[in-house]
Amino acid sequence: MAQRKNQINFIVIGNVDSGRSTTIDHFISKYNNVDNGSTKIDKNLLETLKIKYECGDPIDYSLWTFETMKNSITIIDTSGHHRFIKNMIMSSLRIDCTMLIVSAAIDEFEVGFSVNGLICEHIQLVCALGVEQIIIAVNKMDRTEPSFFEKRFDEIKIKISNYIEQIGYQPSTIVFVPISALYGDNLIDVSKNMPWFTGWKIEHNEQHIMGRTIWEALDAMILPNQFINKPLRLPLSEIYKIGGVGTVPMGRVATGILKPNMSINFAPSNLTSKVKSFETSGVFDGATPGDNVGFSVEGISVEQLQRGFVCSDLKNDPAGEVTSIIAYIVVLNHSIRIYQGYSSILCCHTACVPCEFVELFKKLHRRSGKITELMPKYIKSTEAAIVRIIPRSPICVERFADYPPLGRFFIRDTEQIVAVGIIKEIEKKESTIPDQTIQNKRRKQ
């Protein structure tokens, strides 16, 4: 297989008006002045397919791709509005690293860091979903009093560091960079307006990495465990019918490798097929974890597949429908209480289905993991617990320990994100995959 740079997927998050899109737009603009290799994926995940990418809600995110010295980066710029937070979390289920933009402007940080702000909620979400690498860009340093005020940056850094330490992060692994998205300070070039900033320093696998800009921070991000040696898992995000090609599912490879001519299975429907051809972000022998890919299949119509189905290797631990889930959940800062019989929506990878909480086993201390209450009557805001959830529609998920990208989920009630969690155990429906020999005979007929 051809050698490639590390494929790293970022999501950019932050409170409304923190300057997320301005930061990314200015960053890409400055990058284009150095290297014309950057492209904005304008609602097309794969330009080679020339197909429309419909993202459900309007203006929920945009995608950018570019390369640093070590990494090939895809950045997802999401909306910070409450209305779009479910889209942000859905994107978070499939990313490797996070960039949090906070505003240093007078009163704006305080609003975002308040009870009704989104800074704390965003940090809680990426922590609960297992995202370990975070860049925190303290934006609008040009709007402090006085401009580019060192003490304002230090104040924000201390407050966020104290908070992230409380919820399980080590501040020594977090990058803090003071920036001005409007003027481009510390995006790619070192700012002349902040000579007091001597740089950031983080620890990765007992190595100390230093830098001064967002560019260097992106290059410093390490490739998380990509599970390339695990069996294939590829959640579908879109399905299209293309003239002359046929049915083309699209998605991001979570684990394993997708290869041409591979015999595949789609769960939870247990449809089987074969990969005729595929297109990804380059010309390679196979699509590996992190790759967005479109692939044509034989013998399956567009109507038989859905967003949320999982493609797997028919000959190597094929995925299947799950009938029961035991999970660790954290209830977010909401007034809703979760009790036995509580019904809501479970969203995992690209799938969303109705579900019911049928058992509440125990409450846990969020930091120590110690049991605080057995068989509780309910779970309320900020509490953690072990629960059993029954999906009320067919879904394919996996244990977090086996397939982490398919083991993170969140619970949604109307337009609110109520809880996030990871899957500890699953109970699968008895396999009903037809004998491959019989299927081949049917296709020939």
Side-chain angles (χ1 to χ4, degrees):
M1 187 175 296
Q3 293 294 317
R4 289 180 286 177
K5 293 185 177 182
N6 296 335
Q7 304 290 313
I8 292 182
N9 292 268
F10 261 84
I11 188 170
V12 181
I13 58 178
N15 214 52
V16 175
D17 296 328
S18 61
R20 297 171 328 282
S21 296
T22 304
T23 300
I24 299 306
D25 289 349
H26 200 155
F27 182 93
I28 295 297
S29 176
K30 293 177 73 69
Y31 175 84
N32 279 332
N33 290 333
V34 178
D35 187 331
N36 290 324
S38 173
T39 59
K40 181 176 180 180
I41 307 179
D42 186 15
K43 299 304 179 187
N44 283 318
L45 284 181
L46 297 171
E47 291 183 317
T48 51
L49 292 176
K50 301 298 181 185
I51 54 182
K52 184 179 179 182
Y53 180 76
E54 298 181 350
C55 53
D57 283 327
I59 324 175
D60 61 349
Y61 60 78
S62 57
L63 301 175
W64 300 83
T65 62
F66 60 92
E67 291 188 353
T68 65
M69 294 295 291
K70 295 188 303 184
N71 298 325
S72 177
I73 306 288
T74 297
I75 290 188
I76 307 171
D77 176 24
T78 67
S79 172
H81 197 279
H82 277 283
R83 177 186 171 195
F84 296 110
I85 193 169
K86 67 179 186 297
N87 300 43
M88 183 278 290
I89 301 171
M90 181 66 78
S91 301
S92 299
L93 297 176
R94 295 168 291 183
I95 55 95
D96 306 309
C97 310
T98 296
M99 186 188 302
L100 171 64
I101 311 291
V102 301
S103 172
I106 302 301
D107 294 332
E108 287 188 8
F109 171 74
E110 285 70 21
V111 171
F113 203 64
S114 67
V115 174
N116 296 321
L118 289 178
I119 293 177
C120 293
E121 185 171 359
H122 283 177
I123 295 174
Q124 286 180 358
L125 290 169
V126 296
C127 179
L129 293 170
V131 180
E132 297 180 354
Q133 299 181 91
I134 300 181
I135 298 171
I136 296 179
V138 182
N139 190 24
K140 301 188 181 181
M141 289 298 297
D142 55 291
R143 290 179 53 188
T144 61
E145 293 184 2
S147 297
F148 303 102
F149 192 32
E150 178 182 5
K151 289 186 178 180
R152 178 60 166 170
F153 172 73
D154 291 340
E155 174 193 3
I156 292 172
K157 181 179 178 181
I158 290 171
K159 287 183 178 179
I160 295 180
S161 295
N162 290 338
Y163 180 75
I164 62 179
E165 190 171 20
Q166 291 175 10
I167 65 173
Y169 281 108
Q170 292 298 322
S172 61
T173 66
I174 307 298
V175 173
F176 285 86
V177 187
I179 69 169
S180 168
L182 183 62
Y183 295 103
D185 293 79
N186 285 341
L187 296 181
I188 290 181
D189 304 315
V190 174
S191 171
K192 296 180 181 179
N193 294 312
M194 292 178 277
W196 47 264
F197 181 62
T198 57
W200 48 263
K201 181 179 179 180
I202 55 173
E203 299 177 7
H204 275 325
N205 298 328
E206 300 182 351
Q207 293 183 343
H208 296 280
I209 305 173
M210 296 178 290
R212 297 182 66 180
T213 64
I214 293 293
W215 171 265
E216 292 170 311
L218 290 171
D219 193 54
M221 295 296 104
I222 61 173
L223 189 67
N225 190 337
Q226 293 292 284
F227 311 107
I228 196 168
N229 295 320
K230 284 185 172 291
L232 175 68
R233 292 292 186 273
L234 195 166
L236 304 186
S237 57
E238 304 290 339
I239 302 94
Y240 298 94
K241 183 177 181 180
I242 299 178
V245 179
T247 300
V248 179
M250 293 182 66
R252 182 188 177 209
V253 180
T255 63
I257 304 176
L258 180 74
K259 297 180 179 180
N261 301 315
M262 174 183 281
S263 296
I264 55 174
N265 171 62
F266 292 100
S269 64
N270 282 328
L271 290 168
T272 62
S273 185
K274 191 174 184 179
V275 178
K276 293 193 295 184
S277 62
F278 68 87
E279 294 282 352
T280 184
S281 52
V283 181
F284 307 108
D285 297 330
T288 58
D291 287 340
N292 291 308
V293 61
F295 56 102
S296 61
V297 295
E298 57 183 38
I300 295 180
S301 67
V302 173
E303 293 75 21
Q304 290 177 289
L305 298 177
Q306 297 178 24
R307 176 186 175 91
F309 279 18
V310 176
C311 172
S312 61
D313 186 347
L314 184 62
K315 299 177 180 179
N316 187 5
D317 188 27
E321 180 181 346
V322 168
T323 58
S324 175
I325 297 168
I326 295 178
Y328 168 82
I329 68 166
V330 176
V331 181
L332 301 182
N333 188 24
H334 289 295
S335 58
I336 294 176
R337 293 182 175 184
I338 294 177
Y339 48 85
Q340 185 173 330
Y342 174 75
S343 296
S344 56
I345 302 295
L346 182 149
C347 296
C348 185
H349 53 87
T350 58
C352 288
V353 300
C355 70
E356 181 181 348
F357 285 73
V358 295
E359 289 183 87
L360 311 181
F361 294 115
K362 52 191 174 185
K363 288 185 183 179
L364 303 175
H365 189 278
R366 287 181 59 176
R367 294 195 65 185
S368 67
K370 293 182 178 179
I371 299 173
T372 59
E373 184 179 351
L374 291 173
M375 307 304 290
K377 291 184 178 180
Y378 59 84
I379 314 160
K380 61 180 179 20
S381 174
T382 73
E383 292 184 330
I386 302 293
V387 300
R388 182 189 296 278
I389 303 171
I390 300 294
R392 293 308 180 192
S393 294
I395 189 173
C396 173
V397 296
E398 298 284 359
R399 295 195 327 143
F400 181 81
D402 297 332
Y403 298 92
L406 276 71
R408 305 178 183 129
F409 68 93
F410 65 91
I411 299 296
R412 180 162 58 91
D413 190 330
T414 60
E415 293 302 315
Q416 288 187 317
I417 304 300
V418 176
V420 295
I422 59 174
I423 297 170
K424 308 290 285 185
E425 299 292 341
I426 58 174
E427 182 178 335
K428 286 189 176 183
K429 185 177 182 179
E430 185 177 348
S431 177
T432 57
I433 299 175
D435 183 86
Q436 191 65 23
T437 304
I438 296 175
Q439 279 221 336
N440 289 337
K441 288 182 180 179
R442 288 175 179 170
R443 288 198 186 101
K444 290 179 181 179
Q445 292 173 355

